[in-house]
Amino acid sequence: MTNNLKRIGTNSKNYAHQRLILNKIPHVRYVDLRFRNVFFWKNLHHWVFKYYLGLTKMSPSELYIKLFLKFKSVNNLFPKIDLIHFFNVINYSKNIPWVVSIETCLPHNHLMSNFIESKNPDYKNIKSDKYTIGVLKALSQDNCIGLIALSECTKNMQLEMLKAFPEFETILKSKITVLHPPQKLLINSIDQKGLSYEKDEALRFIFIGRDFLRKGGSEILKVFKEFSNDEQYKFELILITDINDKENFLFFNQKDIDNINNIISENPKWIKHYKELSNDKVLELIIKSHIGLLPTWMDTYGFSVLECQAGGCPVITTDIRALTEINNEELGWLIKFPANKLKHPIYESKKEFEICQEIIENGLRNILKDVFQNKQKIKEKAEASLNSIKTNHDEKKYTNQLKEIYEQKAFQEINKFHRKELTFSS
C-alpha cells in the first residue's frame, strides 16, 4: 500500500508531528488538514467570542479541543488524501483510512486527564460520557486501522480506561501498537565527545526544555547551588530554557521565579543560560556535555532524554510515565517518585507537593555525590545510552514499522458473533 500512498493527511507541523509523523515515509506528500475540517469552521465562533469579544470564559485548552481535536473532512477532501495520520485527534470521516498516535489516552480531554491523574481512577465518571462513547465508536470503525501508543505506559492507560467499556475493549485492544519515537544518532562513538571522564575533569550538566518549573528546574538550581559552595565539586550547568513570569505550575509562585532568576544572574561562573538556541547549537552542547537533567514533575514521554542519549549524554530523570522505558540505572539515573498505578505522579495537596519536592532534591543530591566520585561510571552509562538509541529508536526500523501499520487492511471483525453492532456517531 505504501507504494500507492501519495498524500498523507496530518493536523499540525509541531514538534510532536515532526518526531512521529512528518516525512517518515519517503516520496509521500504530507498535507495539513486543519483548515479542511468541518468542526474547525463549525466552532470558529468560539475563538471570535473569546479573543475579540470576550464573551466566553472558555480556556485556551478548551478552545483547542473544540477547534482541532475532532475532524470531519470538508467535501471529502480535494485533492484526495490516501491516508490520515493524526496525533490525539479523532477522525469522523467514514471513508478515509486513518491512524492515530496516542500521547496519553483517547479521548484527549479534561475528563480523561482527571481519570488518569487521580490516585484511584474512577470509572463512573467516564463510562456514561457521551463524547467518550462517540470517540470509541469512531476508533472502532473499520477505516481506523491503527492506534499507535508512544509507550507501554500510554498503552496501559488506554487499556485501563477501556475496562469501563467492555463493548469496545476487544476490538480496540487488538488495534493498539506501541511504537517508541525514532531518534537520530548525534555521534557514533563516545570518543567523539572529546571527554576524558578523569577525576580532575569538570563535569558539564545540561537541561533542555520549556516549562522550567514543571521539569524540575527549581530543584536543580537549589541543589547545584549547594554543590557550588564546595570547591571539590567542579562543574558547569547549561540551561537552555526561557524562564518567564507567566509560567504557572503547582504551588510555585512569583517569589520562586524571582529566586530562580536571581540564582542564574548571580552565578555566571558555573551557570550558562540560553533562552533560545538553534537546534544545531543545542545538539553541539549535548555532545560536549557529560550528563543530561530531567528530574521532572510531569512529562508524557521525554524527547529530550532521547536527544541526550543520542549524544552519549546519560540523563538523571524521575521514574514517572514512560521515563522508565527509555531510562534506567544502566543507561542513566532514576529518582523514585510517588505515582498511581498508571505511573502518573501524585501531588494533590501542598503537603504532598513539599514531600515530592524534597524527594527530587534528595535524589538529585545523592546522585550528584555519586557521579562526582565515580566519573568512569558516567562513561559506562554514556556508552549504554548510545547503544539503547541504536537498538530501540532506530529511524529505519521506525519507518518500517510505520509502513506495516499503514499497510494493514481494513480491520477485520473480532468475535463477530458476539460483537455488538456499532453505529457511527460524530
Side-chain angles (χ1 to χ4, degrees):
M1 178 179 170
T2 50
N3 291 333
N4 298 321
L5 278 179
K6 294 181 179 179
R7 297 180 182 87
I8 294 178
T10 65
N11 64 310
S12 179
K13 296 180 181 179
N14 66 14
Y15 182 71
H17 284 74
Q18 292 173 29
R19 293 297 306 251
L20 304 170
I21 301 171
L22 295 174
N23 303 316
K24 300 306 176 190
I25 307 297
H27 314 299
V28 166
R29 179 186 172 194
Y30 290 81
V31 182
D32 190 338
L33 302 181
R34 281 176 294 178
F35 307 115
R36 303 188 193 188
N37 182 4
V38 168
F39 292 113
F40 173 82
W41 297 108
K42 182 180 178 180
N43 292 298
L44 188 60
H45 65 283
H46 289 292
W47 185 84
V48 175
F49 287 161
K50 180 169 182 64
Y51 289 104
Y52 283 92
L53 303 179
L55 298 178
T56 178
K57 294 181 180 180
M58 189 177 293
S59 70
S61 60
E62 290 171 323
L63 182 61
Y64 179 81
I65 290 171
K66 281 279 187 184
L67 292 176
F68 298 117
L69 287 188
K70 294 170 65 178
F71 178 85
K72 192 171 186 179
S73 64
V74 176
N75 297 327
N76 292 319
L77 299 180
F78 185 82
K80 181 184 176 185
I81 301 298
D82 300 303
L83 179 89
I84 287 173
H85 188 165
F86 282 154
F87 181 69
N88 292 330
V89 175
I90 304 302
N91 171 40
Y92 292 95
S93 304
K94 289 185 180 181
N95 300 321
I96 307 173
W98 68 293
V99 172
V100 58
S101 289
I102 310 171
E103 182 179 14
T104 297
C105 187
L106 295 177
H108 189 73
N109 61 7
H110 298 299
L111 179 64
M112 210 52 61
S113 293
N114 291 337
F115 173 78
I116 295 297
E117 294 170 10
S118 62
K119 288 182 180 179
N120 298 295
D122 185 358
Y123 301 97
K124 294 179 182 178
N125 292 333
I126 63 172
K127 66 189 309 179
S128 60
D129 181 62
K130 292 182 179 179
Y131 175 69
T132 298
I133 294 170
V135 166
L136 297 181
K137 285 182 179 180
L139 294 172
S140 298
Q141 298 301 308
D142 288 347
N143 67 317
C144 177
I145 60 175
L147 314 180
I148 304 177
L150 263 66
S151 65
E152 290 291 340
C153 178
T154 296
K155 177 182 177 180
N156 291 337
M157 288 179 170
Q158 190 69 58
L159 294 179
E160 185 68 27
M161 70 82 65
L162 285 174
K163 290 179 180 179
F165 303 94
E167 67 271 34
F168 298 107
E169 189 173 9
T170 300
I171 190 170
L172 293 184
K173 184 176 181 179
S174 66
K175 293 190 182 190
I176 298 176
T177 301
V178 175
L179 190 53
H180 283 273
Q183 175 62 55
K184 182 179 180 180
L185 287 171
L186 306 184
I187 56 174
N188 294 310
S189 167
I190 297 301
D191 294 337
Q192 291 176 247
K193 293 176 70 70
L195 303 174
S196 71
Y197 300 94
E198 296 297 335
K199 194 171 184 180
D200 60 344
E201 184 175 56
L203 294 183
R204 186 177 290 115
F205 298 84
I206 187 167
F207 171 94
I208 308 159
R210 298 176 182 174
D211 302 323
F212 190 65
L213 292 174
R214 176 171 64 82
K215 294 177 184 286
S218 177
E219 293 74 32
I220 288 171
L221 285 179
K222 179 179 179 179
V223 174
F224 273 87
K225 190 173 185 298
E226 294 172 7
F227 277 79
S228 72
N229 295 324
D230 192 327
E231 293 183 357
Q232 70 171 307
Y233 301 116
K234 297 178 182 178
F235 64 90
E236 180 179 84
L237 176 61
I238 299 171
L239 304 176
I240 307 173
T241 183
D242 185 8
I243 304 161
N244 59 70
D245 293 345
K246 294 181 181 180
E247 189 171 351
N248 180 25
F249 181 70
L250 289 176
F251 298 93
F252 291 103
N253 54 39
Q254 186 60 48
K255 184 179 178 181
D256 296 306
I257 295 175
D258 291 341
N259 183 54
I260 286 169
N261 287 322
N262 287 336
I263 293 175
I264 293 172
S265 62
E266 292 170 0
N267 295 281
K269 288 185 178 180
W270 56 273
I271 298 178
K272 305 298 180 187
H273 179 214
Y274 305 92
K275 286 187 176 182
E276 190 175 2
L277 284 177
S278 68
N279 188 56
D280 288 343
K281 291 291 184 183
V282 172
L283 300 184
E284 284 179 18
L285 288 173
I286 288 174
I287 294 170
K288 293 177 181 178
S289 298
H290 293 82
I291 295 174
L293 298 168
L294 190 65
T296 182
W297 291 78
M298 177 55 217
D299 265 271
T300 53
Y301 193 84
F303 289 120
S304 66
V305 174
L306 299 187
E307 291 172 342
C308 285
Q309 291 174 337
C313 190
V315 189
I316 300 170
T317 72
T318 45
D319 66 346
I320 59 172
R321 296 293 290 261
L323 285 169
T324 55
E325 297 174 48
I326 58 175
N327 193 32
N328 55 49
E329 295 295 339
E330 181 184 350
L331 309 179
W333 301 265
L334 289 172
I335 299 171
K336 189 170 178 59
F337 200 85
N340 64 12
K341 69 177 183 178
L342 298 176
K343 299 185 72 175
H344 188 89
I346 296 295
Y347 34 73
E348 295 178 351
S349 67
K350 175 75 171 177
K351 183 177 180 180
E352 288 176 337
F353 163 76
E354 290 172 346
I355 291 171
C356 289
Q357 195 166 41
E358 201 170 306
I359 287 171
I360 292 176
E361 291 168 2
N362 287 336
L364 195 52
R365 282 189 196 97
N366 293 333
I367 291 169
L368 290 181
K369 288 176 183 177
D370 179 58
V371 298
F372 279 116
Q373 296 299 320
N374 301 282
K375 293 181 181 176
Q376 284 299 313
K377 186 183 291 186
I378 304 172
K379 185 178 182 180
E380 293 170 6
K381 291 177 185 284
E383 290 173 338
S385 292
L386 206 58
N387 288 330
S388 176
I389 295 297
K390 292 177 185 176
T391 303
N392 302 315
H393 302 276
D394 179 75
E395 291 184 298
K396 289 183 180 179
K397 184 185 292 186
Y398 181 87
T399 293
N400 289 335
Q401 289 174 304
L402 205 54
K403 282 181 179 179
E404 288 179 11
I405 294 170
Y406 289 170
E407 288 170 354
Q408 289 183 51
K409 295 179 180 179
F411 184 73
Q412 297 178 357
E413 292 183 352
I414 304 271
N415 298 327
K416 187 173 182 179
F417 296 105
H418 301 286
R419 179 183 168 196
K420 293 182 178 179
E421 187 66 23
L422 302 173
T423 56
F424 190 88
S425 173
S426 60

